[in-house]
Structures are given as C-alpha cells and as structure tokens.
C-alpha cells in the first residue's frame, strides 16, 4: 500500500513490559448474524427482513466464502436463540468461526460447558464464546434473573470459574454465593485446549474486574479513539494485576463505498425515514438500561439526525445508535479512510474487529470487496475471471 | 387382538452416549462422534422414522447442540430433544425451541426430563430432593408454556420468578411444539397431567404399563386435559424368532463382570421410580427364562444399561403383534432403538414397517414398484 504510514501496536512481552510491535498483520475480521431480523433502513417499515434461518444461513455462507474469520451471533430476548443458530450454521460452513453470545445467568455453567464442548467437536474447533453478563434489568427480569448490576458480574465471576475449570478437565466443587456445585465435571473435551477462547463485553468497573480474571479477548463497542484508549489501558492494567494478558477487539458498523460521498449518502439514507418521535422513544428506552456501555454509547449523540452532530471522530458516525441499542457507531468512508480508522484502533492494541452493516448480506460483500484488500486481507471470492470473459467476448465481436 | 387403524408413530434414537455392537464390550464400541450420530439420524430419516429421541446426560454429547446440528442435515425427522428444566431458564428454553422449530421447518420437540442421577444433578448445581425437583418442573413448565403461547408472563414461584417475561416469536407448530415428558412417580404424573402433551414410559410389561397409563389418563382428566401416550423400547427384529432371540442374547454375551457391576452402580445412583421399576423387571438375574418377562419382551438390556432396559424381540409378525397390544392400551408413539443403531434402524424399517402398515421410502413394497414388463407394454 503506497503512502501508508508505519503502524505500531503495543503488547506485553514475557517480562510484562509494554513493547511496540508492528501491527502490519491483517486483523481478524468477524461479521454479524442479525438474530432479530435484518433491515435496509433503521426506523422504517421498508426493506425489513424476517428473522428466519434460511436468511441467516445465506449470510453465514457468504461470510464463509468471502473469507471472514467468523461471525458474532448475539443474544437478547428479542433475538433468535444464538446457540441453536450457530450450531446449525456450523454444519453449513467450513472455516467460519462462531462467536456465540452466552448469558451466564440463564443456564448452569456445567450445561454451558457440555454445549460448548459438543459444538467445538461438531464444528472442528470453530467455537468462540462471548460472555454477556449485562443488559437491561427489565429484560433479565423476564428471563427470571433478578440480580442488580454488580451482582450480575459477581455471579458471572463464579459461573466463569466453574465453566473454565470444568472445560479444562478439572472436577470442581464450589460453594459460592450464586453457584453451588459438587463434583462438577465434563466427560469429553472440547477440541480447543484448554477451552474455546472467551470474549467479553462490559464497560463498568465490575465488568472490567471480571474480564481481567477470566477472559481472553475484551470487546468494546466502537467509541471514539481516546475513550477506547483509556478503556483498554484500564483493562490491561486490571489484567496485569491478575498476572494475565488480554487481547482486544472493537465492535463497529461499517459503511464503505468507493468514494466518501457515496458512503455518506448511504449513511444518511439509513436513518432518513425515522421520524423524530421514534428517535425520542428510542432514546427514552435506551436510557433505562443500566449497562454502562450503553450509557457511553448514548452520550455520543442527542436525537438530531444532522450529519455534523453525529460525527464523533474522524469517519466515526454515531447515527446507528439513534435507533439501535448496543453497538451504535459506524465507520463511514472510502476504503482507505475506513482502513485508516481501523488501523488507529489496531495501534491501541485491537487485533479483532466485529463488523456489520445493513443489510447484512449485501454489506458483507461490500466490505470484503472494498475493505479487505486495503487491510491486507484476502477476499476469497475475488477472481480474475471477468477479464478472461471480457477477452472472450471481445474475440466473439471481432469475428 | 384388535388391530388399531393406521400405523403407529415410530421414533428412533440418537445414541449420544456412544454406540456399540454388543453391550459392555468396549472392543465393539463406536466413536462418540457427531459425524456418526449424523449418519444414524440420516439413516432414520431416509428409512421413514417419524423422529428421533436425543437423550440428555453427562456421558453424552449435549442434546440441544446435537439437535440443532441435525436439523439442517435431515428432512422429515422430528427432533425430540431432552431438556432438564433446572439447568436452563424457561425463557432461554423457549427461545431455543422456537429457533429450532424455525431451522427445522416445524420439527422441534422437547422431552422434559426432570433428572434422577443424584451425582449429576449436584454437579450441575441442583441439590433439590426428588419431589422438589418436580415442583420446579411444574413452575418451569407453567412459565415455558405461557411464553410459547405469546402471553406476557408474570410468575412468582418458589423456584421460578419472572417479571414481564415475553417471547417475541411464534413457533412454526401451533400453538407450540408438543411437549413430551418422562417420569413415573406419583408426583411426576401429577405434573404431566397439568402440562404435557405426550407422556412417555419406558417399556414395561402390558399389565404393568396399563395401570400406569390409566393413572396418567385419570390424572389428566381431573385437570380437564387429554394426554397422548408413548412407550420407549429397544427392538430386535429378525426374519425368524430364533434369529431374533439369538441376536438379543448375544447383545449381553460379551460383557464381563465389571461391566455388569458398573451398570448396576449407575442404576442404583438414579433416584427414580421408573428406574426402580426397570430394575425390578430383571431383578439382577441373568437366567434366560427370567429375562424373558413376556413372550416377546426381554429385560436383558437393563442388566447393562440404565434407563430404558427392555426390548421387543421376535419375528416381524411377533413384534408387530406386541406393538398392537400396547396400542390397544392407547400407546400411539413408540420410541425404538437397537444396537448398533444404524444397522438396527435398517432391520426395523425393512422387516417391521411393512407389517405395521408403515411406509418406508427406502423399502418400497414390491407390489408398489413399477413392473418392468408392464412399463414396456405401456409404451
């Protein structure tokens, strides 16, 4: 890539010193399965797609063919069940990994361990587990979970203790405050040793404490660089205090087009039809969440659809958060601009990006075709066949 | 014997805890591998079984996960997936079954198994007594069914407390996939009567099962409900009775003493009335006459396997007659299995299906096949 500035990242060496390393290796890129349905626009009734398996299967197979490293399969009471979906999709894909959201409070750690080991074997080691302890209290009450914010993380801590040790082959007794098991064990192992990597999202101090103790990769929603830098530093420090190292990842939407103008037009159109009353209502509902990450997302914008007021960093647009809970920012621009933005997160230590875009099938192709080459990542579907075909056509005209 | 109209519903079995040619015989064991389980399920699908039971337990691959993986690989087969209520919230279970129903195009079924292995339950964090476990199942099913029907659920039980529970998706099967259930105690039957659609029993002799099923039917009637009935048997069917008995008895002929002792220990660790009833059928005896507890019912499998421990053994006509006898008690669904599960699925479909009047796409009756001579003449 000519004109590309040298890029660096920081890692802990074996003496626990922070060292600069080249981050020129391409990051892991995961795509997204929209388990509550897919759409072309936000806040509109046009172009919505039903949450059915045939469609998810099309998206997953496209991501597999294009060369994505994996897909995030999210959880929520308005979502299809991520475990059932990911399992079925694993049988229809070859290389794709499945980052499957698991809510510790709704199932026992030993049952989760059996499910994870089983799917790791079915898929040939393609399971990644995303632990989601948080969410909204009212949603969790509907799941029969009545824990306050910090209690949820205390529960997740005990749950993860049993889950990790059982998957690693130990027999576990724990008389915890929330989890009490006697002689817990697993009778067959997962493919990945000691267990499939644990990803985790959670921005509160309690969340970060739990991450530091247990997880392999800390995921954050795509906040502006300075905020992410501070958060990663805090997590890194907390992990170091536990004598552990943690990898980092960023969850972002992406709108990439050949030119910057085109990309911004797509971004504007995404939310154009949403009426102001709907924006107020979305804000009111999201404000009720006791997730710190959600409040940090909401703080990035008001209720205006104005492009300028939604620009929260270079090429970082907060418009999606007007109408969607959770990850609310998108990187918008031409391939170079989007790649530069991602490299800036890489320089903070992120080696993984979980990307998505509406609608998810079409945007999976756009991202692979336009962004992968600039990131040094292979679009496995890319072909030089069109040239050969044009040549043949030219030949036939000449006759 | 009265012949019941129509063919019974026949399910086969996915051996998630492992398969073998002989019981208690590690040399003939097959890998506990999903690829193999998928072959069993595809075979059952191809020969025309209506469904498969996917059991739960520590030794086996996880039932939820196996069911979801089998859904895209099978076409007609219903996936009867075992679930233990205490280990997962009713809302998460509702999301799972509805999603599986979507993936499979309306082939998802749950088999509610409260659980009886004390060591496993404690390892899973459930230290309730037998009766308390069924109270939990009762509360769990109340919330689960409410969610599946689309109600907003508010419920304040001893074990399950839900505020503003909602399930946004309607299953393909209406109002929701039929709920199957196993449990033989008085307490279990009372819970079944309130909630379930199909009551499954391990295969006991006709007289014994008759009394149990009457109790289930009466309990359901008191709740103003009707319940369908199913029974779970192993099956060894061969062209002649002699061959069948030989195959059955060989199943346990290669086991050594440690295998018998290990199976006995597992059975003793199960805190279930159903298991006690199964164990009582063979009483630990290995004498041939003693294991033949009815003319075509054999208790030998129970010596080496806990849970379902009886097999229907005989020629196609004999096994079919035995099935008809159970059907006359009201049993509509038979969950069958045999070791090894691929080969025996084929034997069962080839030999037993025609006698029961059940069509098998893999074994079309000769009369229905086009005759080459007639086909040529028609041209």
């Amino acid at each position: 890539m000519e004109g590309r500035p040298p890029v660096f990242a920081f890692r802990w060496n074996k003496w626990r010193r922070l060292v600069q390393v080249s981050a020129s290796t391409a990051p892991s890129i995961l795509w997204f399965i929209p388990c509550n349905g897919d759409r072309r626009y936000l806040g509109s009734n046009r172009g919505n797609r039903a949450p059915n398996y045939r469609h998810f299967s099309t998206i997953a197979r496209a991501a597999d063919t294009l060369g994505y490293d994996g897909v995030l399969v999210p959880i929520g009471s308005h979502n299809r069940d991520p475990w059932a979906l990911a399992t079925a999709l694993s049988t229809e894909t070859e290389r794709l990994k499945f980052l499957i959201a698991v809510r510790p409070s709704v199932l026992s750690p030993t049952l989760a361990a059996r499910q994870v080991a089983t799917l790791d074997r079915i898929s040939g080691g393609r399971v990644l587990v995303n632990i989601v302890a948080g969410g909204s209290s009212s949603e969790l009450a509907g799941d029969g979970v009545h824990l306050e914010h910090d209690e949820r993380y205390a529960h997740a801590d005990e749950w993860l203790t049993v889950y990790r040790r059982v998957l690693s082959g130990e027999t576990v007794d724990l008389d915890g405050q929330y989890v009490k098991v006697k002689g817990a064990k697993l009778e067959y192992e997962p493919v990945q040793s000691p267990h499939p990597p644990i990803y985790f999202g959670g921005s509160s101090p309690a969340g970060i404490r739990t991450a530091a103790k247990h997880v392999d990769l800390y995921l954050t929603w795509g906040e502006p660089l300075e905020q992410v830098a501070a958060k990663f530093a805090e997590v890194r420090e907390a992990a170091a205090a536990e004598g552990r190292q943690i990898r980092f990842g960023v969850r972002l939407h992406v709108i990439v087009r050949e030119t910057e103008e085109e990309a911004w037009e797509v971004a504007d159109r995404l939310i154009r039809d949403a009426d102001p009353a709907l924006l107020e209502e979305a804000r009111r509902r999201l404000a009720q969440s006791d997730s710190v990450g959600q409040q940090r997302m909401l703080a990035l914008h008001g209720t205006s659809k104005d492009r300028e007021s939604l620009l929260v960093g270079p090429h970082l647009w907060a418009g999606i958060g007007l109408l969607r809970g959770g990850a609310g920012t998108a990187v918008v621009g031409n391939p170079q601009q989007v790649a530069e933005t991602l490299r800036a997160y890489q320089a903070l230590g992120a080696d993984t990006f979980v990307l998505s875009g509406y609608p998810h099938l079409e945007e999976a192709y756009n991202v692979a075709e336009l962004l992968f080459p600039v990131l040094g990542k292979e679009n496995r579907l890319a072909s030089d066949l069109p040239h050969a075909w044009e040549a043949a056509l030219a030949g036939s005209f000449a006759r | 014997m009265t012949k019941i109209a129509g063919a019974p519903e026949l399910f086969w079995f996915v051996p998630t805890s492992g398969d073998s040619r002989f019981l208690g015989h590690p040399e003939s064991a097959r890998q506990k591998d999903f690829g193999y389980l998928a072959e069993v399920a595809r075979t059952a699908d191809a020969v025309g079984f209506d469904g498969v039971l996917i059991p739960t337990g520590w030794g086996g691959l996880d039932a939820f996960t196996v069911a979801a993986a089998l859904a895209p690989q099978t076409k007609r087969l219903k996936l009867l997936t075992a679930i233990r209520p205490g280990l997962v919230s009713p809302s998460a279970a509702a999301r799972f079954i509805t999603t599986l129903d979507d993936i499979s195009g309306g082939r998802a079924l749950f088999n509610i198994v409260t659980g009886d292995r004390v060591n496993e339950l404690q390892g899973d964090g459930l230290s309730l007594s037998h009766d308390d476990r069924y109270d939990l199942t009762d509360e769990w099913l109340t919330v689960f069914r409410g969610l599946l029907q689309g109600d907003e659920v508010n419920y304040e039980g001893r074990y399950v407390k839900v505020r503003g529970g909602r399930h946004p998706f309607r299953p393909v099967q209406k109002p929701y996939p039929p709920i199957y259930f196993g449990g033989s105690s008085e307490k279990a039957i009372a819970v079944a009567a309130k909630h379930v659609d199909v009551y499954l029993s391990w295969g006991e002799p006709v007289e014994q099962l008759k009394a149990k099923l009457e109790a289930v039917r009466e309990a359901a009637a008191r709740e103003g409900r009707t319940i369908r009935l199913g029974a779970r048997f192993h099956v060894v069917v061969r062209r002649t009775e002699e061959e069948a008995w030989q195959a059955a008895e060989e199943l346990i002929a290669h086991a050594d003493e440690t295998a018998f002792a290990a199976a006995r220990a597992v059975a003793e660790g199960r805190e279930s009335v159903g298991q006690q009833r199964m164990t009582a059928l063979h009483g630990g005896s290995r004498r041939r006459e003693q294991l033949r507890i009815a003319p075509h019912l054999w208790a030998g499998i129970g010596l080496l396997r806990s849970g379902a421990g009886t097999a229907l053994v005989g020629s196609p006509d004999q096994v079919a007659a035995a099935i008809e006898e159970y059907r006359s008690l009201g049993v509509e669904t038979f969950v069958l299995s045999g070791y090894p599960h691929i080969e025996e699925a084929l034997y069962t479909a080839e030999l037993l299906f025609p006698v029961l009047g059940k069509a098998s796409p893999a074994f079309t009756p000769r009369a229905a096949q086009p005759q080459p001579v007639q086909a040529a003449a028609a041209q």
Side-chain angles (χ1 to χ4, degrees):
Chain A
M1 236 70 49
E2 64 263 64
R4 178 177 156 186
V7 199
F8 296 98
F10 295 89
R11 289 196 199 290
W12 298 96
N13 67 12
K14 61 179 168 179
W15 299 284
R16 304 235 174 80
R17 295 238 169 97
L18 205 53
V19 291
Q20 250 189 4
V21 293
S22 166
S24 59
T25 48
S28 279
I29 303 283
L30 280 71
W31 195 244
F32 185 86
I33 302 295
C35 292
N36 65 350
D38 200 0
R39 52 202 65 237
R40 185 175 290 280
Y41 306 110
L42 296 174
S44 163
N45 290 324
R46 292 184 302 124
N48 291 347
R49 298 175 188 183
N52 73 43
Y53 179 71
R54 297 318 307 166
H55 181 52
F56 298 145
S57 163
T58 311
I59 297 171
R61 282 180 286 133
D64 197 33
T65 307
L66 289 163
Y68 287 88
D69 296 289
V71 284
L72 172 63
V73 192
I75 197 163
S77 62
H78 294 281
N79 286 9
R80 291 293 194 184
D81 178 69
W83 198 262
L85 281 184
T87 300
L89 294 173
S90 77
T91 68
E92 305 203 63
T93 49
E94 285 165 19
R95 288 169 290 217
L96 202 65
K97 294 194 174 184
F98 290 88
L99 175 55
I100 310 163
V102 171
R103 206 174 250 183
S105 46
V106 299
L107 83 173
S108 88
T110 45
L111 176 61
R114 291 196 287 276
Q115 295 188 344
V116 166
T118 301
L119 183 52
D120 207 40
R121 290 165 74 123
I122 290 176
S123 67
R126 293 189 282 135
V127 176
L128 308 168
V129 172
N130 192 32
I131 297 292
V132 184
S136 90
S137 292
S138 61
E139 187 183 336
L140 288 166
D143 270 349
V145 178
H146 309 278
L147 300 171
E148 293 303 317
H149 180 279
D150 283 9
E151 291 176 315
R152 293 204 291 268
Y153 286 100
H155 170 272
D157 179 26
E158 293 183 4
W159 191 97
L160 281 166
T161 302
V162 173
Y163 167 87
R164 288 173 63 208
R165 289 176 58 195
V166 162
L167 272 171
S168 311
E170 293 178 46
T171 300
V172 183
D173 291 336
L174 181 75
D175 189 21
Q177 198 182 338
Y178 305 98
V179 178
K180 297 176 202 296
V181 295
K182 212 171 99 199
K185 63 173 193 277
L186 187 64
E187 298 194 355
Y188 47 91
E189 312 84 53
V191 173
Q192 299 174 85
S193 176
H195 53 68
I198 300 174
Y199 290 41
F200 178 94
S203 297
S204 66
I208 289 174
R209 272 199 303 280
T210 306
K213 276 178 76 174
H214 295 289
V215 316
D216 302 296
L217 189 145
Y218 179 86
L219 273 179
T220 179
W221 289 325
E223 298 169 0
L225 281 172
E226 316 77 63
Q227 292 185 28
V228 169
K231 205 190 231 183
F232 282 2
E234 201 183 330
V235 173
R236 213 178 262 131
E237 208 173 291
E242 298 280 346
R244 302 182 70 252
Q245 296 180 34
I246 291 186
R247 289 165 53 206
F248 292 98
V250 186
R251 164 89 182 92
L252 286 157
H253 299 265
V254 62
I255 301 173
V256 60
R257 290 295 184 274
E258 289 188 27
T259 67
E260 183 175 6
E261 298 76 63
E262 282 178 85
W264 279 113
E265 264 170 46
V266 173
D268 290 340
R269 227 176 14 245
L270 193 58
I271 57 171
R272 189 181 55 200
D273 293 345
D275 73 63
L278 195 62
L279 298 180
E280 294 287 348
E281 172 66 10
R283 184 165 189 88
R284 195 186 60 75
R285 282 170 181 260
L286 293 175
Q288 289 169 356
S289 167
D290 58 5
S291 151
V292 172
Q294 183 64 65
Q295 297 318 319
R296 289 171 69 120
M297 279 282 118
L298 275 184
L300 295 176
H301 56 77
T303 53
S304 163
K305 288 196 281 183
D306 176 59
R307 192 192 288 180
E308 286 308 309
S309 69
L310 290 171
L311 200 59
V312 296
H315 307 289
L316 190 66
W317 180 67
I320 290 172
L322 291 174
L323 288 151
R324 179 195 196 279
T329 54
V331 185
V332 182
N334 67 32
Q336 297 294 342
Q337 293 165 333
V338 173
E340 286 313 313
T341 307
L342 297 191
R343 285 200 199 102
Y345 288 108
Q346 270 187 283
L348 300 178
D351 63 14
T352 298
F353 293 96
V354 181
L355 303 178
S356 61
Y358 299 99
H360 288 73
L361 181 61
E362 291 90 326
E363 290 300 311
Y365 280 89
N366 272 331
V367 169
E369 283 168 20
L370 299 173
L371 186 62
F372 278 18
V374 195
L375 290 174
K377 201 163 180 72
E378 186 193 356
N379 165 11
R380 290 212 194 93
L381 195 58
S383 160
D384 55 5
L385 195 59
H387 299 295
W389 180 79
E390 281 162 16
L393 196 64
S396 73
F397 283 140
R399 232 173 280 142
Chain B
M1 179 91 35
T2 42
K3 171 97 177 138
I4 317 284
E9 187 176 49
L10 297 183
F11 280 43
W12 195 244
F13 186 83
V14 179
T16 52
S17 296
D19 198 5
S20 59
R21 185 168 294 279
F22 306 116
L23 294 170
H25 185 248
E27 292 82 353
S28 71
R30 298 181 180 182
Q31 287 283 340
K32 208 190 292 180
D33 166 65
F34 177 73
Y36 176 69
L37 300 181
E39 288 301 330
V40 173
R42 281 192 291 257
T43 301
D45 202 24
V47 303
F49 280 96
D50 298 294
V52 280
L53 172 63
I54 306 167
T56 183
W58 274 21
L61 298 186
D62 173 64
F64 275 35
T65 311
V66 167
L70 290 177
Q73 315 217 357
T74 49
K75 296 194 177 85
R76 285 170 299 216
L77 215 53
K78 290 186 178 160
L79 303 163
L80 178 54
T81 311
I83 176 171
R84 283 200 182 152
L87 306 192
V88 56
S89 81
S91 57
R95 291 194 284 272
F96 176 86
I97 195 79
T98 310
T99 304
L100 185 62
D101 213 34
D102 170 50
I103 295 172
S104 64
R107 296 185 283 125
L109 299 170
F110 259 155
N111 188 29
I112 307 291
V113 185
T114 297
D116 60 355
R117 300 183 196 206
V118 178
N119 62 331
E120 292 190 5
L121 291 165
Q122 285 181 347
D124 281 340
L126 263 187
S127 49
L128 301 176
S129 72
H130 175 278
D131 284 6
D132 288 348
R133 287 202 294 273
Y134 279 101
D135 286 339
L136 185 155
T137 299
D138 182 16
E139 294 183 4
W140 192 98
L141 281 169
T142 305
V143 172
F144 175 73
R145 291 171 63 210
L147 290 170
L148 283 182
Q149 281 163 359
D151 304 339
E152 178 181 326
V153 177
N154 290 288
Y155 186 83
E156 186 75 19
R158 226 166 99 208
Y159 305 101
V160 182
K161 300 177 206 308
V162 170
R163 237 182 6 250
R166 276 174 190 286
H167 180 64
F169 304 114
R170 301 282 65 74
V172 177
Q173 299 171 80
K174 298 286 182 291
Y176 51 73
I179 299 172
Y180 288 59
F181 176 98
S184 294
S185 65
E186 231 172 90
K187 192 96 188 180
I189 289 173
V191 174
K194 273 174 79 175
H195 297 289
V196 314
D197 301 294
V198 183
Y199 177 85
L200 282 179
S201 172
W202 288 325
E204 299 173 355
V206 171
E207 283 312 308
Q208 221 174 308
L209 196 61
K210 189 176 176 190
K212 193 201 244 184
L213 298 181
E214 264 163 22
V216 173
R217 244 188 306 242
E218 273 166 28
R222 281 196 296 274
E223 299 282 343
R225 301 181 73 250
T226 51
I227 292 187
R228 284 157 51 209
L229 304 171
R232 165 90 181 92
F233 288 100
H234 299 268
V235 63
V236 184
V237 60
R238 292 294 185 274
R239 289 195 187 282
T240 66
E241 176 175 16
E242 207 183 350
E243 280 177 84
W245 279 115
Q246 204 184 329
E249 281 161 0
E250 199 181 357
L251 273 177
I252 60 168
H254 302 279
D256 59 21
E257 287 308 314
T258 50
F260 284 103
R264 203 158 47 233
V266 172
E268 280 165 5
R270 294 181 70 150
E271 209 177 52
S272 105
V273 172
Q275 181 63 53
Q276 288 158 21
R277 291 168 71 117
M278 278 284 118
T279 302
L281 292 178
H282 57 71
S285 165
R286 283 179 231 166
R287 285 181 39 229
R288 173 176 292 180
E289 319 73 83
Q290 203 128 1
L291 291 174
R292 297 188 181 187
I293 52 179
H296 297 286
L297 189 65
W298 183 62
I301 288 175
L303 290 171
L304 286 159
R305 182 195 196 279
S306 74
T310 54
L312 298 166
V313 181
S315 69
D317 285 333
Q318 291 167 335
V319 172
I323 284 180
E324 291 301 332
E325 206 176 345
Y326 285 104
R327 291 181 81 193
S328 70
L329 305 181
V331 177
E332 296 172 47
T333 299
F334 293 82
V335 180
L336 303 176
S337 62
Y339 296 91
H341 287 73
I342 288 189
E343 288 91 326
E344 293 297 319
L346 291 165
Y347 269 124
T348 304
E350 184 183 340
L351 299 175
L352 186 62
F353 280 22
V355 197
L356 290 172
K358 194 159 185 77
S360 170
F363 300 102
T364 314
R366 189 162 291 281
Q369 283 172 1
Q371 298 295 315
V373 179
Q374 289 171 352
Q379 286 172 8

